[in-house]
Amino acid sequence: MFDVLIIGGGVSGMSCALVLGSAKNKAFAADKKIGIFTHQKNSSLQEAIFYNAYGITPGKLGSELLTESTHDLAASYPHIAQIANEKVIKVEGQFPEFTVITNKNSYQTKSIVVGIGSANTFDIDGLMEFVEPHKKALPEKQRIQLKNNDHKVADGIYAIGTLAGWRSQLAIAAGSGAAVATDILTLWNNGVQTHAHDSIR
């Protein structure tokens, strides 16, 4: 049983995983089981190049970020399970007992974070009832988002990045994923407001 499964290995999903992973030395997070589906085939990063993203060398390819992010996550936080080459097709159950079904396996988890982009080809059975038109995209692009209140779709289900209704800027997606990670850490910490900072001190 996972405590949280993140669906999507792009900017928002990886940012969420990194912040959750960085809390590993906090007592309330030490025994938590975290996983991320790193299926990235359809990520918009595949065609991106960055000149306006804070902390990223100008001219960096999005495809390079996708590869580097999985390596960095494994090196820094090996306790996070990376599930590669599996596509989520169905979500069943309700908080705190969900089943996430992929094209190859099924997994049990207490919470789900969904960050797979806002294309109208979204087709995860069990989440379709939450789909609505994207509020910050041009209508002709036919983008979608999941209905949410400050990222929360339903108890135990969160949307991040463009799927939460944010615009497709790397910095916004990263912040969205990190925000949900801190919300989850706060829940794990019995509701005490919590975040995770790295420091040279």
Side-chain angles (χ1 to χ4, degrees), residues 38-83:
T38 57
H39 183 75
Q40 302 169 325
K41 184 177 179 181
N42 296 322
S43 173
S44 57
L45 285 185
Q46 297 286 7
E47 298 177 349
I49 185 168
F50 293 99
Y51 291 96
N52 64 353
Y54 180 77
I56 296 177
T57 304
K60 187 76 165 180
L61 296 176
S63 57
E64 293 174 328
L65 282 179
L66 286 171
T67 301
E68 291 170 5
S69 64
T70 56
H71 294 159
D72 291 344
L73 183 65
S76 298
Y77 307 117
H79 64 289
I80 295 182
Q82 291 193 40
I83 305 165

Side-chain angles (χ1 to χ4, degrees), residues 123-166:
D123 61 351
I124 298 178
D125 191 14
L127 297 179
M128 298 305 295
E129 65 183 284
F130 303 111
V131 171
E132 65 180 4
H134 198 289
K135 295 176 182 176
K136 292 185 178 181
L138 294 169
E140 58 267 28
K141 292 200 170 187
Q142 298 183 325
R143 298 295 184 188
I144 60 96
Q145 65 180 58
L146 298 187
K147 296 176 188 175
N148 69 91
N149 181 10
D150 191 22
H151 296 100
K152 184 177 180 181
V153 176
D155 286 344
I157 303 176
Y158 302 87
I160 54 176
T162 56
L163 195 63
W166 298 107

Side-chain angles (χ1 to χ4, degrees), residues 5 20 28 40 43 51 59-60 65 76 81 86 102 112-113 131 137-138 154 163 166 168-169 176 179 181 187 199:
L5 273 174
L20 289 174
F28 59 81
Q40 302 169 325
S43 173
Y51 291 96
K60 187 76 165 180
L65 282 179
S76 298
E86 293 189 33
T102 74
I112 299 166
V113 178
V131 171
L138 294 169
L163 195 63
W166 298 107
S168 59
Q169 292 286 149
S176 173
L187 288 176
S199 173

